[in-house]
Amino acid sequence: MLKIRKIVCTTFMTLLSVSLTLAGINGVSYADGGTVTGAVTVPLPKFKKDCVVYIENVPGNWPPTAGAQINQKGLIFIPHVLPVVANTAVEFLNHDNVLHNVFSPDKIAEKFNLGTWPPGEVKTYTFQQLGAATLLCNVHAEMEGYVVVLQNPFFAVTDENGSYTIKDVPTGSYNLLVWNKKYKGKPKQIVVNTGQSFQADFELKK
Ligand SMILES: [Cu+2]
């Protein structure tokens, strides 16, 4: 009887440790995940950078993105494009010696307007709805940035070569999408397997 109890207990502990490993440290990293990687091509090379490649839906309740910040520095929004998980509070910082403002004309961001503030102060807006929100500054008409609000943290921003890599993606079949401020690309069906890399390239067009 004691022996059976010991076996049951050992089995339970093994299952517990396996499920903890699968859940990962913060619930985002998967020990049995795979990689999705590739590149985008666009009609104008300067738009290769700052495309967001993301998985449309990954089952689960994904926590907001930690440390999400956009700086206003040298009259530029940095980063130019910031992908976040829904319900992320993005901090807006002013690093210039002038007043800046941040507002969005987009419905998915409730057309928020954070007012005008000097360097040193921080304003925050929580993005709740999925989609892309344009950021503008009513003091400097040339300033423009984007927050792309997503369902899960399995996304990447393309570099100047148009390349991207999404790591630790849970095993499964998904829709892979791409967002660009100017061009559009067709969704791709992808299959992610443990320890493997899936290649997905996008050709963006008008
Ligand atoms: Cu400004």
Side-chain angles (χ1 to χ4, degrees), residues 86-193:
N87 299 313
T88 292
V90 177
E91 290 185 341
F92 293 95
L93 287 75
N94 180 354
H95 277 105
D96 286 331
N97 244 333
V98 295
L99 295 174
H100 276 303
N101 156 267
V102 179
F103 76 97
S104 177
D106 294 311
K107 255 188 175 173
I108 74 125
E110 307 166 289
K111 302 185 180 182
F112 77 83
N113 189 329
L114 299 178
T116 307
W117 68 98
E121 278 178 34
V122 179
K123 300 260 181 172
T124 302
Y125 178 77
T126 301
F127 292 83
Q128 292 174 313
Q129 297 175 50
L130 301 185
T134 306
L135 306 174
L136 299 168
C137 169
N138 64 18
V139 185
H140 308 100
E142 70 278 20
M143 290 183 69
E144 187 188 79
Y146 300 88
V147 172
V148 182
V149 190
L150 303 169
Q151 182 264 345
N152 63 76
F154 302 100
F155 54 67
V157 180
T158 55
D159 64 16
E160 57 279 3
N161 301 315
S163 301
Y164 77 91
T165 299
I166 310 173
K167 286 180 180 167
D168 299 327
V169 180
T171 301
S173 299
Y174 305 105
N175 251 350
L176 187 71
L177 278 69
V178 61
W179 175 91
N180 176 277
K181 67 177 175 182
K182 195 172 170 72
Y183 300 111
K184 287 185 166 49
K186 283 184 189 154
K188 295 209 173 251
Q189 289 286 112
I190 62 163
V191 180
V192 178
N193 288 312

